[in-house]
């Protein structure tokens, strides 16, 4: 059995998988691979799947399956798995770091000190305590974020889809209600047809003036042009993003927009998460090897 590691994983993973077969990171060997390991970089499209003549299983290290044509893979009898539970803490902690960094102006403070400037009076800060956090996508990551926000004494709202009850947030039926009431809005829903571009000029019109938005979900859930305009107009006080239309972003209007805090899709990249992902993959391949 040939296992192709197509994206970046924990460095110890190839050694651990050797007991199940040959392990390679040579993408030219896709036609021979029985199992392919991907993260978000590899696009397992119809064309990609057509090249993989021996493929039986795709494992996505991470949560979002939007880079895999699941329907086509299933038609071809290829099983698709993700490592859904592994990344929750890593993404929730990065989201919280971004949410703290913006109102505390941490990046501007660092830059000013590096430039030898002392702008103590200009660096006004605001606190999270007592502010309202609106969570769009109250699943694993949204809930982990809510638990952390509660410890900071924030008020927490979430948007309804697929949420039947919550111990951590007050549920609102309409997106516009969450946008209108929140000082911080955090995106954690999957990228599907109904969430693609859902934060746009029209929905941004409902946002409370001066709110901060954090997106560690998926870049394509927002219209970047409209976010950039909202930042310029002051509708949004800040936008923190870990996720982009492409990795890395090309010609994104956000790069030059004011009050943007950017990270290069590192939400899942904690050392601990890479180890957890490796453990789940090892188990999935171990089970597969036993069955075949
Ligand atoms: P999850 O499935 O546990 O939660 C997603 C939640 O979104 C659901 O519980 C539901 O409340 C809501 N939702 C589902 N479909 C919806 C729809 N059509 N409209 C509105 N809301 C909807 O997933 P999770 O583990 O919390 O991960 C959430 C997302 O975070 C992933 O889909 C992925 O895109 C993203 N993610 C990003 C990184 C990163 O590196 N930045 C890492 C992991 C996950």
């Amino acid at each position: 059995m040939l296992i192709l590691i197509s994206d970046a994983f924990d460095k110890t993973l190839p050694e651990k998988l050797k007991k199940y077969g040959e392990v390679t990171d040579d993408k030219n060997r896709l036609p021979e691979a029985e199992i392919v390991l991907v993260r978000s970089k590899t696009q397992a499209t119809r064309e990609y799947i057509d090249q993989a003549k021996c493929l039986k299983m795709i494992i996505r290290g991470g949560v979002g399956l939007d880079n895999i044509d699941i329907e086509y893979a299933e038609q071809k009898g290829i099983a698709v798995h993700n490592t859904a539970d592994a990344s929750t803490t890593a993404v929730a902690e990065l989201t919280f770091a971004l949410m703290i960094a913006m109102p505390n102006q941490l990046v501007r403070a660092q830059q000013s000190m590096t430039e030898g400037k002392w702008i103590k009076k200009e660096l006004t800060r605001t606190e999270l305590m007592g502010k309202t956090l609106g969570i769009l996508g109250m699943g694993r990551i949204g809930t982990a974020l809510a638990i952390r926000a509660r410890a900071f004494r924030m008020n927490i709202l979430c948007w309804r889809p697929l949420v039947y009850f919550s111990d951590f947030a007050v549920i609102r039926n309409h997106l516009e209600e969450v946008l209108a009431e929140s000082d911080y809005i955090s995106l954690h829903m999957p990228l599907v047809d109904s969430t693609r571009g859902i934060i746009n000029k029209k929905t941004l019109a409902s946002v409370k003036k001066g709110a901060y938005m954090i997106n560690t979900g998926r870049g394509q859930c927002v219209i970047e042009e409209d976010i950039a305009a909202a930042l310029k107009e002051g509708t949004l006080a800040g936008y923190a993003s870990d996720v982009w239309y492409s990795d890395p972003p090309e010609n994104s209007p956000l790069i030059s927009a004011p009050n943007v805090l950017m990270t290069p899709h590192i939400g899942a990249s904690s050392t601990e998460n890479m180890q957890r992902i490796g453990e789940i993959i090892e188990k999935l391949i171990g089970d597969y090897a036993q069955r075949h």
Side-chain angles (χ1 to χ4, degrees):
M1 159 160 81
L2 183 68
I3 303 167
L4 169 61
I5 302 188
S6 187
D7 291 330
F9 283 87
D10 183 44
K11 284 191 183 65
T12 63
L13 191 60
E15 196 54 43
K16 287 179 184 156
L17 297 180
K18 268 185 188 163
K19 57 178 173 285
Y20 303 112
E22 190 188 347
V23 182
T24 182
D25 60 3
D26 180 357
K27 292 180 187 171
N28 294 321
R29 295 188 68 191
L30 174 65
E32 300 164 62
E34 197 167 328
I35 297 180
V36 172
L37 309 185
V38 305
R39 286 187 60 210
S40 54
K41 198 167 179 202
T42 299
Q43 298 296 311
T45 57
R46 183 177 272 257
E47 294 71 35
Y48 181 95
I49 291 168
D50 280 339
Q51 287 172 47
K53 304 279 180 221
C54 306
L55 195 57
K56 293 282 182 291
M57 190 194 275
I58 302 173
I59 306 179
R60 158 75 163 101
V63 187
L65 289 165
D66 43 279
N67 56 327
I68 298 171
D69 190 332
I70 302 176
E71 210 176 303
Y72 192 58
E74 276 169 5
Q75 269 178 38
K76 292 266 174 180
I78 299 165
V80 178
H81 296 275
N82 64 0
T83 59
D85 294 326
S87 305
T88 305
T89 302
V91 184
E93 288 192 8
L94 180 73
T95 308
F96 216 90
L98 296 170
M99 192 161 73
I100 292 182
M102 285 194 287
N104 287 294
Q105 303 213 52
L106 293 186
V107 173
R108 205 170 152 219
Q110 165 72 19
Q111 275 167 353
S112 62
M113 295 295 285
T114 309
E115 289 163 9
K117 294 179 188 155
W118 187 258
I119 57 168
K120 183 177 162 100
K121 281 194 186 133
E122 284 173 49
L123 288 175
T124 51
R125 302 170 43 228
T126 54
E127 297 172 358
L128 295 182
M129 187 172 76
K131 303 296 188 312
T132 298
L133 166 64
I135 298 176
L136 309 181
M138 188 69 175
R140 286 174 292 258
I141 297 168
T143 302
L145 178 69
I147 291 168
R148 284 152 181 79
R150 195 156 82 157
F152 271 64
R153 307 277 189 274
M154 296 183 85
N155 307 312
I156 304 152
L157 300 177
C158 72
W159 181 32
R160 168 73 73 185
L162 302 177
V163 186
Y164 305 100
F165 68 92
S166 174
D167 290 335
F168 305 103
V170 175
I171 303 167
R172 293 277 186 262
N173 288 328
H174 302 290
L175 171 65
E176 284 73 13
E177 294 175 84
V178 181
L179 298 179
E181 291 177 52
S182 303
D183 303 292
Y184 290 81
I185 300 150
S186 198
L187 274 59
H188 303 286
M189 59 265 191
L191 177 65
V192 290
D193 287 346
S194 62
T195 60
R196 189 177 294 277
I198 195 165
I199 301 298
N200 54 42
K201 196 175 175 184
K202 187 164 171 269
T203 49
L204 281 163
S206 299
V207 166
K208 186 180 196 177
K209 192 169 168 58
Y212 291 89
M213 188 171 282
I214 305 108
N215 187 1
T216 59
R218 277 292 174 267
Q220 292 89 339
C221 289
V222 307
I223 302 296
E224 290 186 343
E225 293 280 353
D226 296 349
I227 297 275
L231 287 161
K232 281 179 200 146
E233 289 156 8
T235 311
L236 286 177
Y239 178 73
S241 191
D242 183 49
V243 285
W244 306 95
Y245 286 1
S246 64
D247 284 0
E250 283 167 25
N251 306 318
S252 169
L254 294 171
I255 305 286
S256 56
N259 302 317
V260 177
L261 179 54
M262 300 176 271
T263 49
H265 203 167
I266 54 170
S269 306
S270 71
T271 307
E272 294 85 348
N273 186 34
M274 288 298 117
Q275 285 164 358
R276 283 191 295 267
I277 287 174
E279 283 161 19
I280 297 172
I281 289 173
E282 207 185 332
K283 168 97 175 57
L284 284 167
I285 295 181
D287 290 349
Y288 174 86
Q290 250 185 1
R291 292 196 304 272
H292 294 82

